[in-house]
Amino acid sequence: MNARQPAGGGIARRRAMAEHVIRQGSVSVTELAETFGVSVMTVHRDLDELEGRGMVRKFRGGASAQASSVFESNIAYRMTANQDAKESIARVVVDTLEPGSSVMLDDSTTALAVARQLGRVAPLTVVTNFLEGMKLLSDAPGIRLMALGGEYHPGHDSFLGLACIDAIEAMRTDVAVVSTSAVSGGYAFHQEQEIVLVKRAMLATATRRVLAIDHTKLRRVGLHRVVPLDVFDTVVIDAGADAKDVEALREQHPDVRIAK
């Protein structure tokens, strides 16, 4: 049976197609055509564009997800994945913030969703290494923006490295809001070592720490442990999480909040 075409035309279809490929791991062109109710030629054009953005790897007769270190952390993919879930998570996170406080945001698109809603609790001081977040907040009323420097990484659209970590360690913020690639066994994980080091530095310099993750992070794996879940004061997840996954998460952390 063909899937109903996502609203928004080709852009929404390609986003859904990319998410379908990463869930399945490897998919044939024929299956994609049947799933999305389009021609094989349209599938080839969509896959060409997705491959050009580093989101899938095309092979004869089908496509596969890029290696997790490339695909899952690619900014082009992250900016389109699970947007509704991230916005609902952001609402809950922002509700925990106090006007006049200082907030550090990592380079996750979940934290970017938080940034979009910070006007509700302004005035705030916001610190981030995410270039897209800097652009968003640069002229936001009531926001004092502090940018973290370092080496710019286009694949993440953020600043990383020793200079970034040094800048983080020179600060002390009220709250740090971070996301991560995977959560399992009582730990947060990420597939890239350089990202792990920056997240750890952010968490170490904050008084209160919030982990903001969409439900897909509970079904993934990451190469490097970031920190144990008990480092966080609060874990916020969207309502798309399976009840058993939420139950397991609550066995590992006392303050899990569901964004509905």
Side-chain angles (χ1 to χ4, degrees):
M1 180 180 295
N2 291 342
R4 182 173 62 86
Q5 281 292 296
I11 295 174
R13 184 185 62 247
R14 285 188 288 274
R15 180 174 66 239
M17 192 176 291
E19 293 176 352
H20 183 76
V21 172
I22 193 173
R23 284 195 302 270
Q24 301 299 319
S26 180
V27 187
S28 72
V29 169
T30 302
E31 179 185 338
L32 289 172
E34 293 176 350
T35 299
F36 291 94
V38 296
S39 68
V40 168
M41 188 68 71
T42 297
V43 171
H44 278 292
R45 286 196 296 266
D46 286 350
L47 292 178
D48 285 341
E49 181 166 339
L50 293 173
E51 184 176 47
R53 294 166 63 190
M55 296 173 70
V56 304
R57 181 183 293 110
K58 192 178 178 185
F59 58 82
R60 185 176 179 85
S64 63
Q66 289 279 30
S68 61
S69 61
V70 175
F71 186 94
E72 293 179 17
S73 60
N74 182 282
I75 185 63
Y77 171 74
R78 292 191 294 120
M79 288 293 285
T80 62
N82 304 310
Q83 291 174 308
D84 290 343
K86 292 172 184 176
E87 291 297 331
S88 67
I89 292 166
R91 285 192 291 273
V92 173
V93 172
V94 172
D95 285 344
T96 72
L97 304 178
E98 295 290 337
S101 61
S102 57
V103 183
M104 188 171 287
L105 303 177
D106 70 358
D107 62 353
S108 67
T109 50
T110 306
L112 184 65
V114 171
R116 282 193 285 267
Q117 300 187 36
L118 290 179
R120 294 198 285 112
V121 290
L124 293 170
T125 296
V126 182
V127 184
T128 186
N129 66 326
F130 195 4
L131 184 56
E132 188 66 25
M134 297 174 195
K135 294 175 182 176
L136 176 69
L137 296 171
S138 61
D139 61 351
I143 300 297
R144 178 191 180 200
L145 176 63
M146 302 187 72
L148 297 168
E151 181 181 354
Y152 178 68
H153 286 237
H156 300 283
D157 197 26
S158 64
F159 297 89
L160 303 169
L162 290 176
C164 182
I165 292 173
D166 286 345
I168 293 168
E169 291 178 344
M171 298 182 179
R172 184 74 179 178
T173 57
D174 296 311
V175 186
V177 179
V178 306
S179 190
T180 191
S181 299
V183 170
S184 64
Y187 286 87
F189 289 84
H190 198 279
Q191 63 271 14
E192 294 185 73
Q193 182 173 326
E194 197 157 23
I195 299 290
V196 169
L197 296 176
V198 169
K199 290 182 189 293
R200 284 179 179 173
M202 289 180 167
L203 295 171
T205 59
T207 302
R208 186 165 66 86
R209 307 164 185 91
V210 178
L211 176 63
I213 52 170
D214 70 76
H215 65 278
T216 64
K217 304 307 192 321
L218 301 180
R219 297 294 180 92
R220 293 183 183 174
V221 295
L223 182 60
H224 302 287
R225 289 197 306 192
V226 182
V227 291
L229 288 184
D230 60 14
V231 166
F232 298 97
D233 297 279
T234 304
V235 177
V236 183
I237 192 166
D238 66 287
D242 183 84
K244 291 183 179 179
D245 290 337
V246 173
E247 182 181 355
L249 190 59
R250 282 180 165 152
E251 290 176 355
Q252 299 161 356
H253 197 282
D255 186 12
V256 176
R257 305 187 188 186
I258 310 299
K260 298 182 180 180

